[in-house]
Amino acid sequence: MDHRKRTIVEDITTALADRIVRGELAPDEKLRQDHIAEEFGASHVPVREAFRQLEARGLAVSIPRRGVRVSTFDVTEAKEVAEMRSVLEVLALRHAFPHLTAHTFMLAQQAIGEGEKAQDIYTWEDANQRFHRTIVADCKMPKLLATLDDLHVASARFLFATWKSKWETRIEHDHRTIIKALKNGDIENAAKVLERHVKLTGRKLSSFL
């Protein structure tokens, strides 16, 4: 695949993934190849490749005689995602811990600050994901990070689908506790708080679903 075609595929995949995660494309809604190709000024080839990438990320599913559709989700999946995240993020954090730097802490604290100032759930979730990604980014395990990225996307989708209340700013107590522990060299406490934090978030989302 040449660079231009690869870029088109990435653009289509990113745009559709964002719409699915935000709920702009509803569960079980059909992804119409002709319409999408026309919207992006592309042939059907990059659209089909984008569909395959969405399927690989669990955001779409190909159903015989029904075409490619937005994947559905339920409480069981939300619980599974939370359990996986609670284990895999801690694993990534333990491997990243020896490589954490002052720059890492600066980026993490910046994400915390932006999350606490967020005026809507979408801005908050962007900052939330950046915090979680920042503290594990140096784990030197690219496949693990790719898996975590997909799990974060799934978590965000559950969040946007269930959040009905007016957004209120909040203090990120767990995030601040994790950073404090890491700065003090206390990986065990940081790992314990991170695991509890992710599991609690998963339970909340499951109860909403």
Side-chain angles (χ1 to χ4, degrees), residues 2-190:
D2 62 37
H3 176 72
R4 181 174 177 277
K5 187 175 292 185
R6 184 166 60 247
T7 301
I8 294 172
V9 172
E10 291 171 353
D11 288 346
I12 297 172
T13 304
T14 300
L16 294 180
D18 187 61
R19 293 173 194 176
I20 292 170
V21 170
R22 285 173 171 258
E24 295 169 12
L25 292 171
D28 199 42
E29 183 173 341
K30 186 173 183 178
L31 297 176
R32 301 185 181 280
Q33 189 176 126
D34 290 344
H35 294 176
I36 294 168
E38 182 178 358
E39 176 185 351
F40 288 90
S43 69
H44 286 186
V45 175
V47 175
R48 285 195 294 268
E49 178 57 32
F51 285 175
R52 283 192 285 270
Q53 293 191 19
L54 292 172
E55 288 184 65
R57 297 173 64 182
L59 295 175
V61 59
S62 180
I63 303 175
R65 294 184 296 280
R66 296 191 68 210
V68 178
R69 312 184 82 86
V70 175
S71 61
T72 58
F73 56 86
D74 56 23
V75 174
T76 301
E77 184 177 348
K79 290 179 178 178
E80 180 182 3
V81 167
E83 285 295 321
M84 290 177 67
R85 277 189 60 196
S86 69
V87 173
L88 296 180
E89 280 196 43
V90 168
L91 173 64
L93 182 63
R94 289 185 181 279
H95 281 268
F97 178 65
H99 310 291
L100 297 179
T101 65
H103 183 65
T104 305
F105 293 132
M106 181 196 72
L107 293 176
Q109 288 175 319
Q110 185 179 58
I112 291 173
E114 291 178 12
E116 291 179 339
K117 294 176 182 176
Q119 298 299 308
D120 61 80
I121 193 170
Y122 300 108
T123 304
W124 176 84
E125 176 57 16
D126 178 72
N128 177 60
Q129 284 199 30
R130 279 191 287 115
F131 169 81
H132 283 271
R133 189 61 159 79
T134 296
I135 63 174
V136 301
D138 290 325
C139 69
K140 314 300 182 185
M141 303 174 75
K143 290 184 179 180
L144 175 58
L145 289 177
T147 300
L148 285 173
D149 285 345
D150 286 344
L151 292 174
H152 276 293
V153 168
S155 294
R157 190 180 179 202
F158 303 148
L159 176 65
F160 297 149
T162 57
W163 189 262
K164 306 298 181 185
S165 305
K166 181 180 178 182
W167 182 254
E168 296 179 357
T169 56
R170 60 189 64 199
I171 302 299
E172 302 290 357
H173 294 292
D174 284 348
H175 288 184
R176 290 186 176 277
T177 300
I178 291 167
I179 290 301
K180 182 178 179 179
L182 292 173
K183 282 185 170 182
N184 290 336
D186 189 354
I187 181 60
E188 295 306 322
N189 189 44

